[in-house]
Amino acid sequence: MNLDNLYQEVILDHYKHPENKKLSVEKDIQVHHLNPSCGDEVTLNLTLESGRISNISWEGNGCSISMASTSIMSTLLMGKSPDDAKKILDSFMELMQSKGSAKGDELILEDAVAFAGVSKYPARIKCALLGWMAYKDASLQVEAKSK
Ligand code: ZN
């Protein structure tokens, strides 16, 4: 099995068995993001407690890339401090902007490196980024509220 097939498996697995895909009752903030070019949508709940992301949960509909990416994002950021989450987010953004030239840092991105190939397809980058942008929006709103 080559790397592309392996990555395809990771994405399909998260699409079929998404993590944290059930909106929590408690939340600090809820955001709703759309990717009109593909028809993907995500609603994301974020809760911070003692300087950590104590919960990220989501609900959504869309293509396998958008749903799998949101699922992987939720597992990666759960329990992290907002600063660590930002490092992971920045690393993923960088990968998506690489136009297929980067492999992604597996130590930081873990399963999210499976989306490296997506960066060659501008139309699909928005799919892969949807959940991550929802998190970014939610975290900025929580930060603004706490000031
Ligand atoms: Zn999509």
Side-chain angles (χ1 to χ4, degrees):
M1 187 183 273
N2 69 32
L3 204 58
D4 278 351
N5 287 340
L6 183 69
Y7 282 177
Q8 205 63 40
E9 286 286 310
V10 170
I11 291 171
L12 274 180
D13 194 45
H14 271 274
Y15 179 56
K16 287 181 192 155
H17 309 285
E19 303 275 352
N20 308 308
K21 194 179 179 191
K22 185 180 191 303
L23 287 174
S24 58
V25 179
E26 305 281 333
K27 62 194 178 284
D28 292 343
I29 200 96
Q30 180 172 81
V31 296
H32 182 71
H33 278 224
L34 283 171
N35 173 22
S37 61
C38 181
D40 311 315
E41 55 180 310
V42 160
T43 303
L44 181 141
N45 282 359
L46 178 68
T47 312
L48 276 91
E49 216 174 288
S50 318
R52 299 261 157 201
I53 296 166
S54 59
N55 200 28
I56 299 183
S57 61
W58 61 284
E59 195 44 79
N61 286 297
C63 67
S64 56
I65 291 175
S66 65
M67 296 296 105
S69 187
T70 303
S71 172
I72 290 174
M73 176 277 298
S74 72
T75 64
L76 279 175
L77 303 192
M78 189 79 82
K80 299 284 195 304
S81 68
D83 282 354
D84 286 345
K86 187 174 182 305
K87 278 178 203 148
I88 298 169
L89 174 70
D90 288 347
S91 181
F92 191 72
M93 292 288 293
E94 207 174 286
L95 180 61
M96 286 301 107
Q97 286 157 4
S98 73
K99 300 186 172 73
S101 67
K103 292 190 178 72
D105 187 336
E106 210 172 345
L107 286 177
I108 297 174
L109 291 174
E110 299 178 29
D111 276 354
V113 296
F115 297 95
V118 172
S119 69
K120 280 183 279 194
Y121 307 100
R124 309 316 300 273
I125 294 172
K126 282 183 186 163
C127 301
L129 282 176
L130 179 68
W132 297 77
M133 290 299 101
Y135 164 75
K136 187 179 183 184
D137 181 18
S139 68
L140 290 174
Q141 289 192 45
V142 168
E143 201 179 311
K145 271 208 314 191
S146 68
K147 273 177 186 155

Coordinates of all heavy atoms in Angstrom, one line a residue, residues 15-108:
Y15 N -14.1 9.8 8.2 CA -15.4 10.2 7.6 C -16.5 9.2 8.1 O -17.6 9.6 8.4 CB -15.3 10.2 6.1 CG -16.5 10.5 5.4 CD1 -17.2 11.7 5.6 CD2 -17.1 9.6 4.4 CE1 -18.4 12.0 4.9 CE2 -18.2 9.9 3.7 CZ -18.9 11.1 4.0 OH -20.1 11.4 3.3
K16 N -16.2 7.9 8.1 CA -17.1 6.9 8.5 C -17.4 6.9 10.0 O -18.5 6.5 10.4 CB -16.7 5.5 8.0 CG -16.8 5.4 6.5 CD -16.4 4.0 6.1 CE -16.2 3.8 4.6 NZ -15.3 2.8 4.2
H17 N -16.3 7.1 10.7 CA -16.4 7.1 12.2 C -15.8 8.3 12.8 O -14.7 8.3 13.4 CB -15.6 5.9 12.7 CG -15.9 4.6 12.0 ND1 -17.0 3.9 12.3 CD2 -15.2 3.9 11.1 CE1 -17.1 2.8 11.5 NE2 -16.0 2.8 10.8
P18 N -16.6 9.4 12.6 CA -16.0 10.7 13.1 C -15.9 10.8 14.6 O -16.8 10.2 15.3 CB -17.0 11.7 12.6 CG -18.3 11.0 12.3 CD -17.9 9.6 12.0
E19 N -14.9 11.5 15.1 CA -14.7 11.7 16.5 C -15.4 13.0 17.0 O -15.3 14.0 16.3 CB -13.2 11.8 16.8 CG -12.4 10.6 16.4 CD -12.4 9.5 17.4 OE1 -12.9 9.7 18.5 OE2 -11.8 8.4 17.1
N20 N -15.9 13.0 18.2 CA -16.5 14.2 18.8 C -17.6 14.8 18.0 O -17.9 16.0 18.1 CB -15.4 15.2 19.1 CG -14.2 14.7 19.8 OD1 -14.4 14.0 20.9 ND2 -13.0 14.8 19.3
K21 N -18.3 14.0 17.2 CA -19.4 14.5 16.3 C -20.7 14.4 17.0 O -21.5 13.5 16.7 CB -19.4 13.8 15.0 CG -20.3 14.5 13.9 CD -20.3 13.8 12.6 CE -21.2 14.6 11.6 NZ -21.4 13.8 10.4
K22 N -20.9 15.2 18.1 CA -22.1 15.2 18.8 C -22.0 16.5 19.6 O -21.2 16.6 20.5 CB -22.3 14.0 19.7 CG -23.6 13.9 20.4 CD -23.7 12.7 21.3 CE -25.1 12.4 21.8 NZ -25.7 13.5 22.6
L23 N -22.8 17.5 19.4 CA -22.7 18.8 20.0 C -22.9 18.6 21.5 O -23.9 18.0 22.0 CB -23.7 19.8 19.5 CG -23.3 20.3 18.1 CD1 -24.5 21.2 17.6 CD2 -22.0 21.1 18.0
S24 N -21.9 19.2 22.3 CA -22.0 19.1 23.8 C -23.2 20.0 24.2 O -23.6 21.0 23.6 CB -20.7 19.6 24.4 OG -20.4 21.0 23.9
V25 N -23.7 19.7 25.4 CA -24.7 20.6 26.0 C -24.1 21.9 26.5 O -24.6 23.0 26.2 CB -25.4 19.8 27.2 CG1 -26.5 20.7 27.8 CG2 -26.0 18.5 26.7
E26 N -23.0 21.7 27.3 CA -22.3 22.9 27.8 C -21.3 23.4 26.7 O -20.7 22.6 26.0 CB -21.5 22.5 29.0 CG -22.3 21.8 30.1 CD -23.1 22.8 30.9 OE1 -22.6 24.0 31.0 OE2 -24.1 22.4 31.5
K27 N -21.2 24.7 26.7 CA -20.2 25.3 25.7 C -20.0 26.8 26.1 O -20.8 27.4 26.7 CB -20.7 25.3 24.3 CG -22.0 26.1 24.1 CD -22.7 25.8 22.8 CE -24.0 26.6 22.7 NZ -25.1 26.0 23.5
D28 N -18.8 27.2 25.8 CA -18.5 28.7 26.0 C -18.9 29.4 24.8 O -19.3 30.6 24.9 CB -16.9 28.9 26.2 CG -16.4 28.3 27.5 OD1 -17.3 28.1 28.4 OD2 -15.2 28.1 27.6
I29 N -18.8 28.8 23.6 CA -19.1 29.5 22.4 C -19.6 28.4 21.4 O -19.1 27.3 21.4 CB -17.9 30.3 21.9 CG1 -18.4 31.4 20.9 CG2 -16.9 29.4 21.2 CD1 -18.6 32.7 21.5
Q30 N -20.5 28.9 20.5 CA -20.8 28.0 19.3 C -20.7 28.8 18.0 O -21.1 30.0 18.0 CB -22.3 27.5 19.5 CG -22.7 26.6 18.3 CD -24.1 26.0 18.5 OE1 -25.1 26.7 18.3 NE2 -24.1 24.8 19.0
V31 N -20.0 28.2 17.1 CA -19.9 28.9 15.8 C -20.5 28.0 14.7 O -20.5 26.7 14.8 CB -18.5 29.3 15.4 CG1 -17.9 30.3 16.4 CG2 -17.5 28.1 15.4
H32 N -20.9 28.6 13.6 CA -21.4 27.8 12.4 C -20.6 28.3 11.2 O -20.6 29.5 10.9 CB -22.9 28.1 12.3 CG -23.5 27.3 11.2 ND1 -23.6 25.9 11.2 CD2 -24.0 27.7 10.0 CE1 -24.2 25.5 10.1 NE2 -24.4 26.6 9.3
H33 N -20.0 27.4 10.5 CA -19.2 27.8 9.3 C -19.7 27.0 8.1 O -20.0 25.9 8.2 CB -17.7 27.6 9.5 CG -17.0 28.7 10.3 ND1 -15.8 29.3 9.9 CD2 -17.5 29.4 11.3 CE1 -15.5 30.2 10.7 NE2 -16.5 30.4 11.6
L34 N -19.6 27.8 6.9 CA -20.1 27.2 5.7 C -19.0 27.2 4.7 O -18.2 28.2 4.7 CB -21.2 28.0 5.1 CG -22.6 27.9 5.7 CD1 -23.5 29.0 5.1 CD2 -23.2 26.5 5.4
N35 N -18.9 26.3 3.8 CA -18.1 26.3 2.6 C -19.0 26.2 1.4 O -19.2 25.1 0.9 CB -17.1 25.1 2.7 CG -16.3 25.0 1.4 OD1 -16.1 26.0 0.7 ND2 -15.7 23.9 1.1
P36 N -19.5 27.4 0.9 CA -20.5 27.4 -0.1 C -20.0 26.7 -1.4 O -20.8 26.1 -2.1 CB -20.8 28.8 -0.4 CG -20.1 29.6 0.7 CD -19.1 28.7 1.3
S37 N -18.7 26.7 -1.7 CA -18.3 26.2 -3.0 C -18.4 24.7 -3.0 O -18.5 24.1 -4.1 CB -16.8 26.6 -3.2 OG -16.0 26.1 -2.2
C38 N -18.5 24.0 -1.9 CA -18.7 22.6 -1.9 C -20.0 22.2 -1.2 O -20.5 21.1 -1.4 CB -17.5 21.9 -1.2 SG -17.5 20.1 -1.1
G39 N -20.6 23.1 -0.4 CA -21.8 22.8 0.3 C -21.6 22.2 1.7 O -22.5 21.6 2.3
D40 N -20.3 22.3 2.2 CA -20.0 21.7 3.5 C -20.4 22.7 4.6 O -20.3 23.9 4.4 CB -18.5 21.5 3.7 CG -17.8 20.8 2.5 OD1 -18.4 19.8 2.1 OD2 -16.8 21.2 2.1
E41 N -20.9 22.2 5.7 CA -21.1 23.0 6.9 C -20.8 22.3 8.2 O -20.9 21.1 8.3 CB -22.6 23.5 6.9 CG -23.7 22.5 6.9 CD -25.0 23.1 6.9 OE1 -25.3 24.0 7.8 OE2 -25.9 22.8 6.1
V42 N -20.4 23.2 9.1 CA -19.9 22.7 10.4 C -20.4 23.6 11.5 O -20.3 24.8 11.4 CB -18.4 22.6 10.5 CG1 -17.9 22.5 12.0 CG2 -17.9 21.3 9.8
T43 N -21.0 23.0 12.6 CA -21.3 23.8 13.8 C -20.4 23.2 14.9 O -20.2 22.0 15.0 CB -22.8 23.5 14.2 OG1 -23.6 23.9 13.2 CG2 -23.1 24.3 15.5
L44 N -19.7 24.1 15.6 CA -18.7 23.7 16.5 C -18.9 24.3 17.9 O -19.2 25.5 18.0 CB -17.3 24.1 15.9 CG -16.1 23.7 16.7 CD1 -14.9 23.3 15.8 CD2 -15.6 24.9 17.6
N45 N -18.9 23.5 18.9 CA -18.9 24.0 20.3 C -17.5 23.9 20.9 O -16.9 22.9 20.8 CB -19.8 23.1 21.1 CG -21.3 23.4 20.9 OD1 -21.7 24.3 20.1 ND2 -22.2 22.7 21.6
L46 N -17.1 25.0 21.6 CA -15.8 25.0 22.2 C -16.0 25.4 23.7 O -16.7 26.3 24.1 CB -14.9 26.0 21.5 CG -13.5 26.2 22.1 CD1 -12.7 25.0 21.9 CD2 -12.9 27.4 21.5
T47 N -15.3 24.6 24.6 CA -15.3 24.9 26.0 C -13.8 24.9 26.5 O -13.1 24.0 26.2 CB -16.0 23.8 26.8 OG1 -17.3 23.6 26.2 CG2 -16.2 24.3 28.2
L48 N -13.5 26.0 27.2 CA -12.2 26.1 27.8 C -12.3 26.0 29.3 O -13.2 26.6 29.9 CB -11.4 27.4 27.4 CG -10.7 27.3 26.1 CD1 -11.6 27.7 24.9 CD2 -9.4 28.1 26.1
E49 N -11.4 25.3 29.9 CA -11.4 25.2 31.4 C -10.0 25.2 31.9 O -9.2 24.4 31.4 CB -12.1 23.9 31.8 CG -13.0 24.1 33.0 CD -13.8 22.8 33.2 OE1 -14.7 22.5 32.5 OE2 -13.4 22.0 34.1
S50 N -9.6 26.0 32.9 CA -8.3 26.1 33.4 C -7.2 26.2 32.4 O -6.2 25.5 32.4 CB -8.0 24.8 34.3 OG -9.1 24.5 35.1
G51 N -7.4 27.0 31.4 CA -6.4 27.3 30.4 C -6.2 26.2 29.4 O -5.2 26.1 28.7
R52 N -7.2 25.3 29.3 CA -7.1 24.1 28.3 C -8.4 24.1 27.6 O -9.5 24.5 28.0 CB -7.0 22.8 29.1 CG -5.7 22.7 29.9 CD -4.6 21.9 29.2 NE -3.3 22.3 29.7 CZ -2.2 22.1 29.1 NH1 -2.2 21.6 27.9 NH2 -1.1 22.5 29.7
I53 N -8.3 23.5 26.4 CA -9.5 23.1 25.6 C -10.1 21.9 26.3 O -9.6 20.8 26.1 CB -9.2 22.9 24.2 CG1 -8.6 24.2 23.5 CG2 -10.4 22.4 23.4 CD1 -8.0 24.0 22.2
S54 N -11.1 22.1 27.1 CA -11.7 20.9 27.8 C -12.7 20.1 26.9 O -12.9 19.0 27.1 CB -12.3 21.3 29.1 OG -13.4 22.2 28.9
N55 N -13.3 20.8 25.9 CA -14.1 20.1 25.0 C -14.3 20.8 23.6 O -14.4 22.0 23.6 CB -15.5 19.9 25.6 CG -16.3 18.8 24.9 OD1 -15.7 17.9 24.4 ND2 -17.6 18.9 24.9
I56 N -14.2 20.0 22.6 CA -14.5 20.5 21.2 C -15.5 19.5 20.7 O -15.2 18.3 20.7 CB -13.4 20.5 20.2 CG1 -12.3 21.5 20.7 CG2 -13.8 20.9 18.8 CD1 -11.1 21.5 19.6
S57 N -16.7 19.9 20.3 CA -17.6 19.0 19.7 C -18.2 19.6 18.5 O -18.2 20.9 18.4 CB -18.7 18.5 20.7 OG -19.4 19.6 21.1
W58 N -18.7 18.9 17.6 CA -19.2 19.4 16.4 C -20.3 18.6 15.7 O -20.5 17.4 16.1 CB -18.0 19.6 15.4 CG -17.4 18.3 15.0 CD1 -16.5 17.6 15.8 CD2 -17.5 17.6 13.8 NE1 -16.1 16.5 15.1 CE2 -16.7 16.4 13.9 CE3 -18.3 17.8 12.6 CZ2 -16.6 15.5 12.8 CZ3 -18.2 16.9 11.6 CH2 -17.4 15.7 11.7
E59 N -21.0 19.2 14.8 CA -22.0 18.5 14.0 C -21.8 19.1 12.6 O -21.4 20.3 12.4 CB -23.4 18.9 14.6 CG -24.5 18.0 14.2 CD -24.2 16.5 14.1 OE1 -24.2 15.9 15.1 OE2 -24.0 16.1 13.0
G60 N -22.1 18.3 11.6 CA -22.0 18.9 10.2 C -22.3 18.0 9.1 O -22.6 16.8 9.4
N61 N -22.4 18.5 7.9 CA -22.6 17.8 6.7 C -21.7 18.2 5.7 O -21.4 19.4 5.6 CB -24.1 18.1 6.2 CG -25.1 17.4 7.1 OD1 -25.1 16.2 7.2 ND2 -25.9 18.2 7.7
G62 N -21.3 17.3 4.8 CA -20.4 17.7 3.7 C -19.6 16.6 3.2 O -19.9 15.4 3.5
C63 N -18.6 16.9 2.4 CA -17.8 15.9 1.7 C -16.9 15.2 2.7 O -16.7 15.7 3.9 CB -17.0 16.6 0.6 SG -15.7 17.7 1.3
S64 N -16.3 14.1 2.3 CA -15.4 13.3 3.2 C -14.2 14.1 3.7 O -13.8 14.0 4.8 CB -15.0 12.1 2.5 OG -14.3 12.4 1.3
I65 N -13.7 15.0 2.8 CA -12.5 15.8 3.3 C -12.9 16.7 4.4 O -12.2 16.8 5.4 CB -11.9 16.5 2.1 CG1 -11.3 15.5 1.1 CG2 -10.8 17.5 2.5 CD1 -10.7 16.1 -0.2
S66 N -14.0 17.5 4.3 CA -14.4 18.4 5.3 C -14.7 17.7 6.6 O -14.3 18.2 7.7 CB -15.5 19.3 4.8 OG -16.7 18.5 4.6
M67 N -15.4 16.6 6.5 CA -15.9 15.9 7.7 C -14.7 15.3 8.4 O -14.5 15.3 9.7 CB -17.0 14.9 7.4 CG -18.3 15.5 6.9 SD -19.1 16.6 8.1 CE -18.7 18.2 7.4
A68 N -13.8 14.6 7.6 CA -12.7 13.9 8.2 C -11.7 14.9 8.8 O -11.1 14.7 9.9 CB -12.0 13.1 7.2
S69 N -11.5 16.0 8.2 CA -10.6 17.0 8.7 C -11.1 17.6 10.0 O -10.3 17.9 10.9 CB -10.4 18.1 7.6 OG -9.4 19.0 8.0
T70 N -12.4 17.9 10.1 CA -13.0 18.4 11.3 C -12.8 17.4 12.4 O -12.5 17.7 13.6 CB -14.4 18.8 11.1 OG1 -14.5 19.7 10.0 CG2 -15.0 19.4 12.4
S71 N -13.0 16.1 12.1 CA -12.9 15.0 13.1 C -11.5 15.0 13.6 O -11.2 14.9 14.9 CB -13.3 13.7 12.5 OG -13.0 12.6 13.3
I72 N -10.5 15.0 12.7 CA -9.1 14.9 13.1 C -8.7 16.2 13.9 O -8.0 16.1 15.0 CB -8.2 14.7 11.9 CG1 -8.4 13.3 11.3 CG2 -6.7 14.9 12.2 CD1 -7.7 13.0 10.0
M73 N -9.1 17.3 13.5 CA -8.9 18.6 14.2 C -9.4 18.5 15.7 O -8.6 18.8 16.6 CB -9.5 19.7 13.5 CG -9.4 21.1 14.1 SD -10.7 21.4 15.4 CE -12.2 21.3 14.5
S74 N -10.6 17.9 15.8 CA -11.1 17.9 17.2 C -10.3 16.9 18.1 O -10.1 17.2 19.3 CB -12.6 17.4 17.1 OG -12.7 16.1 16.8
T75 N -9.8 15.8 17.5 CA -9.0 14.9 18.4 C -7.6 15.6 18.7 O -7.1 15.4 19.8 CB -8.7 13.6 17.7 OG1 -8.0 13.8 16.5 CG2 -10.0 12.9 17.3
L76 N -7.1 16.3 17.7 CA -5.7 16.9 17.9 C -5.8 18.0 18.9 O -4.8 18.2 19.7 CB -5.2 17.5 16.6 CG -4.6 16.5 15.6 CD1 -4.2 17.2 14.3 CD2 -3.3 15.9 16.2
L77 N -6.8 18.8 18.9 CA -6.8 20.0 19.8 C -7.4 19.8 21.2 O -7.2 20.5 22.1 CB -7.6 21.1 19.1 CG -7.1 21.6 17.7 CD1 -7.8 22.9 17.3 CD2 -5.6 21.7 17.7
M78 N -8.1 18.7 21.3 CA -8.7 18.4 22.6 C -7.7 18.3 23.7 O -6.7 17.6 23.6 CB -9.5 17.0 22.5 CG -10.3 16.7 23.7 SD -11.9 17.6 23.7 CE -12.9 16.5 22.6
G79 N -7.9 19.0 24.8 CA -7.0 19.0 25.9 C -5.8 19.9 25.8 O -5.0 20.1 26.8
K80 N -5.6 20.5 24.7 CA -4.4 21.4 24.5 C -4.7 22.8 25.0 O -5.8 23.2 25.2 CB -4.1 21.5 23.0 CG -3.8 20.2 22.3 CD -2.4 19.8 22.6 CE -1.9 18.7 21.6 NZ -2.7 17.5 21.5
S81 N -3.6 23.5 25.3 CA -3.8 24.9 25.7 C -4.0 25.7 24.4 O -3.7 25.2 23.3 CB -2.5 25.4 26.3 OG -1.4 25.5 25.3
P82 N -4.7 26.8 24.4 CA -4.9 27.6 23.2 C -3.6 27.9 22.4 O -3.6 27.9 21.2 CB -5.6 28.9 23.7 CG -6.3 28.5 25.0 CD -5.3 27.4 25.6
D83 N -2.5 28.1 23.1 CA -1.2 28.4 22.5 C -0.8 27.1 21.7 O -0.3 27.3 20.5 CB -0.1 28.7 23.5 CG -0.3 30.2 23.9 OD1 -1.1 30.9 23.4 OD2 0.5 30.6 24.8
D84 N -0.8 26.0 22.3 CA -0.5 24.8 21.6 C -1.4 24.5 20.4 O -1.0 24.1 19.3 CB -0.5 23.5 22.5 CG 0.7 23.6 23.4 OD1 1.7 24.4 23.2 OD2 0.7 22.8 24.4
A85 N -2.7 24.8 20.6 CA -3.7 24.6 19.5 C -3.3 25.5 18.4 O -3.5 25.1 17.2 CB -5.1 24.8 20.1
K86 N -2.9 26.7 18.7 CA -2.6 27.6 17.6 C -1.4 27.2 16.8 O -1.3 27.3 15.6 CB -2.3 29.0 18.2 CG -2.1 30.1 17.1 CD -1.9 31.5 17.7 CE -1.8 32.5 16.6 NZ -0.7 32.2 15.6
K87 N -0.4 26.5 17.5 CA 0.8 26.0 16.8 C 0.3 24.9 15.8 O 0.8 24.8 14.7 CB 1.8 25.4 17.8 CG 2.7 26.5 18.4 CD 3.6 25.9 19.4 CE 4.1 26.9 20.4 NZ 4.3 26.4 21.7
I88 N -0.6 24.1 16.2 CA -1.1 23.0 15.4 C -1.8 23.6 14.2 O -1.7 23.2 13.0 CB -1.9 22.0 16.2 CG1 -1.1 21.3 17.3 CG2 -2.5 20.9 15.3 CD1 -1.9 20.6 18.3
L89 N -2.7 24.5 14.5 CA -3.5 25.2 13.5 C -2.6 25.9 12.4 O -2.8 25.7 11.2 CB -4.4 26.3 14.1 CG -5.2 27.2 13.2 CD1 -6.3 26.4 12.5 CD2 -5.8 28.3 14.0
D90 N -1.5 26.6 12.9 CA -0.6 27.3 12.0 C 0.1 26.3 11.1 O 0.3 26.5 9.9 CB 0.4 28.1 12.8 CG -0.2 29.3 13.4 OD1 -1.3 29.7 13.0 OD2 0.5 30.0 14.3
S91 N 0.5 25.2 11.7 CA 1.2 24.1 11.0 C 0.3 23.5 9.9 O 0.7 23.3 8.7 CB 1.7 23.0 11.9 OG 2.4 22.0 11.3
F92 N -1.0 23.3 10.2 CA -1.9 22.8 9.2 C -2.2 23.8 8.1 O -2.2 23.5 6.9 CB -3.2 22.4 9.9 CG -4.1 21.6 9.0 CD1 -3.8 20.3 8.7 CD2 -5.3 22.2 8.5 CE1 -4.6 19.6 7.8 CE2 -6.1 21.4 7.6 CZ -5.8 20.1 7.3
M93 N -2.3 25.1 8.5 CA -2.5 26.2 7.5 C -1.3 26.2 6.5 O -1.5 26.3 5.3 CB -2.5 27.6 8.2 CG -3.7 27.8 9.0 SD -5.2 28.1 8.0 CE -4.8 29.6 7.2
E94 N -0.1 26.1 7.1 CA 1.1 26.1 6.3 C 1.1 24.9 5.3 O 1.4 25.1 4.1 CB 2.3 26.0 7.2 CG 3.6 26.5 6.7 CD 4.7 26.5 7.8 OE1 4.6 27.2 8.8 OE2 5.5 25.6 7.7
L95 N 0.7 23.8 5.8 CA 0.6 22.6 4.9 C -0.4 22.8 3.8 O -0.1 22.5 2.6 CB 0.2 21.4 5.7 CG 0.0 20.0 5.0 CD1 1.3 19.6 4.4 CD2 -0.5 19.0 5.9
M96 N -1.5 23.4 4.1 CA -2.6 23.7 3.1 C -2.2 24.7 2.0 O -2.7 24.7 0.9 CB -3.9 24.1 3.8 CG -4.6 23.0 4.5 SD -5.1 21.6 3.3 CE -3.9 20.4 3.9
Q97 N -1.2 25.6 2.4 CA -0.7 26.6 1.5 C 0.5 26.1 0.7 O 1.0 26.9 -0.1 CB -0.4 27.9 2.3 CG -1.7 28.6 2.8 CD -1.4 29.5 3.9 OE1 -0.3 29.7 4.4 NE2 -2.5 30.1 4.5
S98 N 0.9 24.9 0.9 CA 2.1 24.4 0.3 C 2.0 24.0 -1.2 O 3.0 23.6 -1.8 CB 2.7 23.3 1.1 OG 1.9 22.1 0.9
K99 N 0.8 24.0 -1.7 CA 0.6 23.6 -3.1 C 1.1 22.2 -3.4 O 1.7 22.0 -4.5 CB 1.1 24.6 -4.1 CG 0.5 26.0 -3.9 CD 1.0 27.0 -5.0 CE 0.3 28.3 -5.0 NZ 0.7 29.1 -3.9
G100 N 1.1 21.3 -2.5 CA 1.6 20.0 -2.7 C 3.0 19.7 -2.5 O 3.5 18.6 -2.6
S101 N 3.8 20.8 -2.1 CA 5.2 20.7 -1.9 C 5.6 20.2 -0.5 O 6.7 19.7 -0.4 CB 5.9 22.0 -2.2 OG 5.6 22.9 -1.2
A102 N 4.7 20.3 0.5 CA 5.1 19.9 1.8 C 4.4 18.6 2.2 O 3.4 18.3 1.7 CB 4.7 21.0 2.8
K103 N 5.1 17.9 3.1 CA 4.5 16.6 3.6 C 3.8 16.8 4.9 O 3.0 16.0 5.3 CB 5.6 15.6 3.8 CG 6.3 15.1 2.5 CD 7.2 13.9 2.8 CE 7.8 13.4 1.5 NZ 8.8 14.3 1.0
G104 N 4.1 17.9 5.6 CA 3.6 18.1 6.9 C 4.4 17.5 8.0 O 5.0 16.5 7.8
D105 N 4.4 18.2 9.2 CA 5.2 17.7 10.3 C 4.3 16.7 11.1 O 3.4 17.1 11.8 CB 5.6 18.9 11.2 CG 6.5 18.5 12.3 OD1 6.5 17.3 12.7 OD2 7.3 19.3 12.8
E106 N 4.7 15.4 11.0 CA 3.9 14.4 11.6 C 3.9 14.5 13.2 O 2.9 14.0 13.8 CB 4.3 13.0 11.2 CG 3.2 12.0 11.2 CD 3.5 10.7 10.5 OE1 4.5 10.6 9.8 OE2 2.7 9.8 10.7
L107 N 5.0 15.0 13.7 CA 5.0 15.2 15.2 C 4.0 16.2 15.7 O 3.5 16.0 16.8 CB 6.4 15.6 15.6 CG 7.5 14.6 15.5 CD1 8.9 15.2 15.9 CD2 7.2 13.4 16.4
I108 N 3.7 17.2 14.9 CA 2.7 18.2 15.3 C 1.3 17.8 14.8 O 0.3 17.9 15.5 CB 3.1 19.6 14.7 CG1 4.5 20.0 15.3 CG2 2.0 20.6 15.0 CD1 5.0 21.3 14.6

